Amino acid sequence: MDSIKDIKGVIFDYGGTIDSRGTHWSEIIWDGYIHAGVKIGKEVFREAYVYAERELARHPHIQPTDNFYDLLYKKMVIELGYLVNLGAVDGEEVETLAPAIARYCYDCARKCADEARPVLTALGARYPMVLVSNFYGNIEAVLADFDLRDYFKDIIESAVVGVRKPDPKIFSLGVEALGLSPEEVLVVGDSYKKDIVPAESIGCKVAWLKGKGWTDEEDAVMHPSIIKSLADLEEVAL
């Protein structure tokens, strides 16, 4: 992407952007299943993934003090429970599989966070930054565990503010927290539909960290704002 001129602040997405190099989290968890030796089809896994996401949205399984491992463990218990009910996984294996998959995914996220830190440090030295995330009410605990909280002037979390991406209002809240106008703000995210489209709709500049997405349709989309890694931001925004 071309150099970004005249930005005065940055909004970061979290999940999929800082913690997985732009790859949709379903793909990370699928790798965790493979690593743990779970032998199921990917379509069945995707059913379980969607079921767990909806269950977490309906009921307060995640507590504000839960770190990312805690979140992942609870999510794996729900996913694996769904698969047990389908007969795709032996119920006696859940006690072993849930922590194994959660630990694999947590370690992946920590490694990505460590990789992102130099970029956040460089950008944070020049621009105020805000995090805007669809999350479960525990993003503060997750950021603290990964030593990322101090990079952000404010946190706009969907479970707290009652607005979820792709609603552009959640990005407007981020812009307001920066005290800037939209055209002065760069939004960095991994989802075309949830980050790039709504951010552009309110006038923000964008950087799309494009990895493997949830659908083939999104994977096929091209856009001039695509970056291959967060490190690319140091070239275009500094």
Side-chain angles (χ1 to χ4, degrees):
M1 62 182 294
D2 295 333
S3 180
I4 297 166
K5 305 296 184 182
D6 303 321
I7 67 166
K8 296 181 179 178
V10 182
I11 290 175
F12 269 94
D13 169 55
Y14 180 71
T17 300
I18 292 175
D19 65 355
S20 73
R21 305 186 190 95
T23 299
H24 193 277
W25 257 96
S26 63
E27 295 295 320
I28 310 297
I29 296 173
W30 172 243
D31 287 344
Y33 273 67
I34 294 171
H35 187 264
V38 181
K39 299 187 184 304
I40 58 171
K42 193 170 186 180
E43 287 306 311
V44 174
F45 158 74
R46 284 167 67 93
E47 288 179 22
Y49 179 91
V50 171
Y51 173 83
E53 284 295 302
R54 291 174 177 170
E55 175 65 17
L56 291 174
R58 285 192 298 263
H59 301 290
H61 296 278
I62 308 303
Q63 300 303 305
T65 56
D66 286 345
N67 68 19
F68 198 49
Y69 175 82
D70 300 327
L71 184 162
L72 287 164
Y73 176 77
K74 292 178 179 181
K75 182 173 168 60
M76 292 311 100
V77 169
I78 295 169
E79 286 186 10
L80 291 164
Y82 177 89
L83 294 168
V84 168
N85 288 335
L86 286 183
V89 170
D90 187 335
E92 294 183 358
E93 295 181 327
V94 172
E95 187 175 348
T96 301
L97 291 175
I101 300 169
R103 176 55 60 182
Y104 175 90
C105 295
Y106 177 84
D107 289 345
C108 288
R110 177 169 286 282
K111 183 175 181 180
C112 290
D114 289 343
E115 290 176 3
R117 191 170 289 106
V119 179
L120 296 174
T121 298
L123 289 175
R126 182 164 179 178
Y127 306 108
M129 301 195 299
V130 166
L131 196 76
V132 173
S133 178
N134 282 355
F135 222 72
Y136 307 92
N138 67 321
I139 191 69
E140 293 272 2
V142 171
L143 293 174
D145 183 41
F146 287 160
D147 195 24
L148 296 173
R149 177 61 183 90
D150 291 345
Y151 289 108
F152 302 104
K153 176 181 178 182
D154 204 352
I155 306 294
I156 311 298
E157 183 180 8
S158 60
V160 175
V161 301
V163 183
R164 288 184 61 83
K165 303 173 187 180
D167 191 332
K169 291 179 182 177
I170 196 168
F171 287 103
S172 294
L173 292 173
V175 171
E176 290 173 16
L178 286 167
L180 300 171
S181 59
E183 61 269 18
E184 297 174 315
V185 176
L186 172 67
V187 173
V188 183
D190 71 297
S191 172
Y192 180 70
K193 291 182 179 179
K194 293 181 179 180
D195 296 316
I196 304 308
V197 171
E200 285 191 313
S201 77
I202 64 169
C204 293
K205 296 178 173 66
V206 296
W208 180 14
L209 180 61
K210 185 179 181 182
K212 173 63 177 173
W214 175 252
T215 67
D216 292 338
E217 289 77 14
E218 182 158 355
D219 286 345
V221 173
M222 298 305 292
H223 191 281
S225 72
I226 290 172
I227 57 175
K228 295 181 180 180
S229 72
L230 290 180
D232 293 344
L233 291 173
E234 295 186 77
E235 297 181 11
V236 298
L238 292 177

